[in-house]
Amino acid sequence: MSARDEILTAVREAVRDAPRGQPPGPQPTVPPTDRSAMLERFAALAADYRATVIRCKASEVSVHVLKALRDARRVILPAGLPEVVVEAVSGRLGKDAVAADAAGHAELEGFDAVVTTCAAGIAATGTVVLDHGEGQGRRALTLLPDLHVCIVRSGQVVPDVPDAVRRLDPQRPQTWISGPSATSDIELSRVEGVHGPRTLVVLLVGDR
Amino acid sequence: MSADAPTFLGMPPFPEAAHEALGNEQLRHNLRRATGTIRDKRAQVIGELDDWEGLRTRAALIKDTALHDLDRHLVELEEQLVARGVTVHWARTAEEACMIVGDIAQSHDVDEVVKVKSMATQEIELNEALQARGIAAWETDLAELIVQLGHDLPSHILVPAIHRNRTEIRDIFRAEMGQVGRAAPEDLTDDPAQLAEASRLHLREKFLRARMAVSGANFAVAETGTLVVVESEGNGRMCLTLPEVLVSVVGIEKVVPTWDDLDVFLQLLPRSSTGERMNPYTSTWSGVTEGDGPQECHVVLLDNGRTRALADEVGRQALRCIRCSACLNICPVYERTGGHAYGSVYPGPIGAILNPLLKGVGHDEQVDSLPFASSLCGACYEVCPVKIDIPTVLVDLRAQVVDAHREDRRPHAEAAAMRAGAWAMGSSRRMALGQRASGLAGAVLGRVSRRANASGRQVLGWLPSPGSAWTRTRDLPVPPTESFRRWWKRTR
Ligand code: SF4
């Protein structure tokens, strides 16, 4: 018998007489009663895990992206980012300093920063979720550069994890990000910045 | 480099190993500090949720019903993975799994792989197997790196180097990093930020160079063929994203039926393990994504004793475990002995039941001693996010161990039980815990094994606890379901 058949047979045998229950079904979600409190919470909890959080109006996005980029010299701007952002960044740094992608890992290592949109924000945990679609690029783009500026539209923020799970598409690769990379492996003292971007800036846009 | 890496093979039974660990002051100090910190953080973030209990119940039910229909879910998972370009392998044993991974590595002609921390690959001793075939396996999780560079063994599920303090870590980095890659800076201090930076630089070149990665998975979603890796440092993202080939070794019990089921687990796991509302990074992927990440993906579905555990009526609940390690952090025995005494990659209360369940009892003294490595205080059950009733499983396994040795001329089990007993009674605090435990054992036994003696008084036929082997020949009164101390505390 193949390993597959043997394992499946053993599984069936093992639970043959076990009592059966009903799975509980999806956890009910409750729509937010107070949107502005929810956005406040999202901002506060993202900051609690050491992301830099900036709230701004839609018209101020480019200004704040430029501020957040500080002295970054080369920046990845994935396809699908708002045009105003692309124009502002390439206007300041020059066309050669920005790219929508890089050819290989080594070339990508030469970029200091990446600016993206996201697929969702989660208020109860201060998390941003990328599904690597429009404006976010393939996964490596948000991994190797040391600074990640993430634009979150206020309408994308949901109250809690179940709301996010419902609205995300499992067929897309996803990266859930809660603050910058961190470790607590040395005497459990938290250190930011091990392998992923050491600085995460969250721009929460709208509702202001 | 891991040629001289130790393994858990041939570890002495728990009482001896524990005795040795108890003499190690540094270890106990490191552990007390670490588990205390994590317990406080955990309590705080759990307090933020309205209905932690409801989540636990839901999670236990999801896992239970998933395990009951595991064959169906596994077949569905396989179909979904294959449809998304993944090659699915099945491994009955550790050897088969290691063989599969080694063959994939060899077919790509690689002599090194980068690894994301994974309990399953530690369990099957994949690194050693790859090493034997001339393939270096680089651990990339900071704690795993500390363990690997220190030629050491992991002692905690989540923080495998929890037994090391910062100065020890600095010394290991200084001495060892240069042997296997980019050396630590000359002036490296024991500041955690500097140590983390040294590991960032040391591993970066490996991430950029590696053509193959090996991961585990925290969850595998049958309905969508999605694997999930929950991590903190970004080393997981590096491994899951940069190499061309990705092999994920997944225990068959990791399956959850639907994508929606993840909502419960992504709330429970980070809060229960690191005491965070959410861990820094969670990656999910459903097979191969064109133009993004590894273009060749393999999944190895691993049994290695899981179907044996599944067949154990009382013990099968252990397969719900999401490896959060909360039961280790709360356990008074673990806090004093550390993880190595359990002689397995799965230490602490969960290890004390999972190892005997996966391996079976009656043929290895070390494994047989584990169900006695507990005071049955019940704290592990109270914290477990998937409500595994560890004390009840321990009690049942003790009985199984005693049964397995019933025919022995040599009094193995009795000796083990007595040693564990002597140890448990060694302090008044432990005694207090033991009394809570005997109340618990009383409740359990009251249901299953009461019989009347000549005078009609209820007695225990046997007592599956540190005194079990004893009571086969001596009738003991049934312990009251509430111990005197607890009654006193309650009614005073
Ligand atoms: S048994 Fe429960 S508490 Fe222990 S590691 Fe597993 S899930 Fe966590």
Side-chain angles (χ1 to χ4, degrees):
Chain A
M1 219 180 347
S2 70
R4 176 184 189 276
D5 294 345
E6 215 172 285
I7 292 171
L8 287 173
T9 307
V11 166
R12 275 177 212 123
E13 277 297 302
V15 291
R16 208 179 28 192
D17 302 322
R20 232 148 266 267
Q22 275 297 314
Q27 198 185 350
T29 54
V30 209
T33 43
D34 182 346
R35 275 199 61 79
S36 95
M38 180 184 74
L39 294 175
E40 277 304 320
R41 184 163 171 78
F42 170 73
L45 295 189
D48 192 37
Y49 283 156
R50 320 279 163 84
T52 305
V53 182
I54 298 158
R55 299 194 60 173
C56 66
K57 295 199 205 95
S59 58
E60 303 164 343
V61 172
S62 320
V63 178
H64 285 287
V65 167
L66 288 179
K67 263 196 212 158
L69 284 174
R70 285 184 275 184
D71 50 2
R73 283 161 299 121
R74 301 191 66 206
V75 180
I76 294 280
L77 303 173
L81 267 191
E83 224 16 75
V84 284
V85 173
V86 178
E87 274 163 24
V89 178
S90 48
R92 177 161 103 186
L93 297 175
K95 287 239 177 317
D96 295 343
V98 301
D101 202 337
H105 305 334
E107 202 196 316
L108 191 52
E109 274 275 275
F111 285 84
D112 317 298
V114 57
V115 182
T116 68
T117 59
C118 73
I122 306 173
T125 57
T127 304
V128 293
V129 185
L130 307 187
D131 68 3
H132 303 280
E134 286 288 283
Q136 301 160 58
R138 63 192 177 94
R139 284 172 285 172
L141 300 186
T142 31
L143 182 57
L144 293 178
D146 208 13
L147 166 64
H148 179 189
V149 180
C150 185
I151 302 168
V152 183
R153 283 182 288 108
S154 60
Q156 293 180 302
V157 178
V158 296
D160 207 344
V161 173
D163 308 274
V165 168
R166 301 288 180 279
R167 76 181 268 167
L168 290 161
D169 176 4
Q171 294 316 324
R172 304 202 57 84
Q174 291 171 20
T175 310
W176 295 42
I177 301 173
S178 310
S181 148
T183 182
S184 300
D185 281 352
I186 301 162
E187 295 181 5
L188 293 183
S189 54
R190 188 177 161 107
V191 178
E192 265 79 38
V194 194
H195 301 297
R198 281 182 282 196
T199 310
L200 172 68
V201 180
V202 174
L203 283 186
L204 178 55
V205 184
D207 276 35
R208 270 265 130 146
Chain B
M1 64 150 290
S2 50
D4 57 341
T7 73
F8 282 113
L9 212 69
M11 279 285 285
F14 185 83
E16 276 125 70
H19 191 76
E20 199 176 299
L22 284 169
N24 184 339
E25 264 308 313
Q26 180 68 57
L27 172 83
R28 291 174 67 185
H29 173 80
N30 293 355
L31 277 176
R32 224 180 357 255
R33 237 197 99 198
T35 55
T37 310
I38 222 167
R39 282 200 304 264
D40 293 347
K41 278 173 66 186
R42 182 179 188 277
Q44 205 187 327
V45 295
I46 281 172
E48 288 177 8
L49 295 186
D50 301 334
D51 190 16
W52 181 253
E53 281 313 306
L55 275 181
R56 288 176 76 210
T57 305
R58 181 173 281 274
L61 194 55
I62 291 172
K63 279 277 188 176
D64 265 355
T65 48
L67 287 169
H68 284 154
D69 281 321
L70 189 57
D71 57 334
R72 201 161 53 75
H73 298 310
L74 285 169
V75 170
E76 188 181 18
L77 175 67
E78 179 184 46
E79 274 168 20
Q80 293 300 320
L81 286 168
V82 169
R84 290 168 178 77
V86 179
T87 310
V88 176
H89 311 257
W90 300 73
R92 281 166 286 215
T93 60
E95 294 72 36
E96 277 184 5
C98 290
M99 183 73 80
I100 292 164
V101 181
D103 287 349
I104 297 168
Q106 237 157 27
S107 75
H108 288 277
D109 230 2
V110 300
D111 57 7
E112 63 173 4
V113 302
V114 284
K115 280 190 66 203
V116 201
K117 176 172 152 43
S118 133
M119 296 308 296
T121 60
Q122 281 178 36
E123 172 193 322
I124 62 174
E125 304 197 329
L126 179 65
N127 295 6
E128 292 73 19
L130 290 176
Q131 178 72 29
R133 297 175 72 163
I135 302 157
W138 306 116
E139 292 293 350
T140 64
D141 173 80
L142 179 52
E144 294 287 357
L145 179 73
I146 296 165
V147 168
Q148 189 176 41
L149 291 174
H151 310 284
D152 200 356
L153 288 166
S155 67
H156 189 278
I157 294 178
L158 190 75
V159 200
I162 200 166
H163 57 292
R164 296 287 197 183
N165 64 26
R166 60 183 73 190
T167 314
E168 294 173 289
I169 295 168
R170 179 204 59 198
D171 294 344
I172 292 170
F173 279 11
R174 274 196 189 154
E176 301 289 336
M177 275 187 170
Q179 313 279 328
V180 292
R182 180 168 175 159
E186 288 287 327
D187 54 354
L188 183 68
T189 71
D190 63 4
D191 171 21
Q194 274 200 32
L195 296 170
E197 170 73 8
S199 92
R200 177 185 175 95
L201 294 171
H202 177 78
L203 287 172
R204 187 56 73 111
E205 61 173 24
K206 291 196 161 71
F207 287 133
L208 295 176
R209 190 177 64 203
R211 289 168 46 219
M212 172 169 156
V214 178
S215 82
N218 293 92
F219 306 100
V221 183
E223 150 192 83
T224 55
T226 309
L227 298 191
V228 182
V229 164
V230 172
E231 54 137 352
S232 295
E233 294 166 16
N235 61 309
R237 293 176 69 192
M238 293 277 175
C239 293
L240 301 174
T241 308
L242 299 182
E244 297 148 30
V245 182
L246 172 63
V247 183
S248 308
V249 180
V250 182
I252 54 173
E253 86 285 15
K254 294 288 166 202
V255 176
V256 295
T258 71
W259 169 257
D260 283 349
D261 292 331
L262 288 179
D263 60 20
V264 177
F265 295 104
L266 291 180
Q267 292 176 78
L268 286 171
L269 180 54
R271 290 185 201 253
S272 193
S273 60
T274 47
E276 293 168 305
R277 294 179 197 101
M278 191 59 85
N279 49 291
Y281 298 134
T282 296
S283 297
T284 76
W285 72 103
S286 306
V288 176
T289 308
E290 208 190 312
D292 184 352
Q295 295 299 295
E296 180 178 330
C297 293
H298 298 260
V299 169
V300 182
L301 295 172
L302 176 73
D303 182 342
N304 203 34
R306 285 159 177 77
T307 51
R308 177 206 293 275
L310 190 61
D312 189 302
E313 219 177 296
V314 180
R316 65 167 65 105
Q317 56 182 307
L319 295 178
R320 292 185 210 144
C321 175
I322 55 173
R323 312 276 189 263
C324 74
S325 69
C327 59
L328 278 63
N329 299 332
I330 199 83
C331 178
V333 176
Y334 178 87
E335 189 180 292
R336 284 167 183 74
T337 63
H340 291 155
Y342 295 81
S344 157
V345 297
Y346 302 112
I350 182 63
I353 61 173
L354 197 57
N355 291 300
L357 286 166
L358 293 176
K359 294 174 185 160
V361 298
H363 32 78
D364 180 338
E365 203 195 346
Q366 200 278 327
V367 173
D368 287 357
S369 72
L370 290 176
F372 298 93
S374 166
S375 62
L376 297 182
C377 74
C380 48
Y381 177 34
E382 279 161 34
V383 295
C384 179
V386 286
K387 284 192 163 170
I388 300 171
D389 187 352
I390 296 176
T392 296
V393 180
L394 282 167
V395 167
D396 189 67
L397 285 167
R398 286 176 182 185
Q400 290 187 29
V401 170
V402 172
D403 277 347
H405 290 284
R406 211 172 277 286
E407 306 306 316
D408 289 5
R409 284 280 153 263
R410 279 166 52 223
H412 273 312
E414 183 156 13
M418 292 312 292
R419 279 177 308 201
W423 174 82
M425 304 310 159
S427 82
S428 60
R429 166 126 189 264
R430 269 183 242 141
M431 189 63 196
L433 296 170
Q435 287 192 355
R436 250 191 88 199
S438 78
L440 182 90
V444 173
L445 295 172
R447 283 207 312 271
V448 297
S449 71
R450 279 171 200 276
R451 63 180 171 80
N453 67 1
S455 67
R457 208 175 117 243
Q458 279 200 320
V459 291
L460 285 176
W462 42 259
L463 174 66
S465 76
S468 54
W470 250 34
T471 54
R472 263 184 280 143
T473 51
R474 299 172 188 82
D475 282 344
L476 282 183
V478 175
T481 44
E482 188 174 34
S483 72
F484 176 75
R485 277 193 199 202
R486 274 184 71 175
W487 174 83
W488 174 253
K489 256 175 115 176
R490 184 169 63 80
T491 54
R492 199 159 44 135

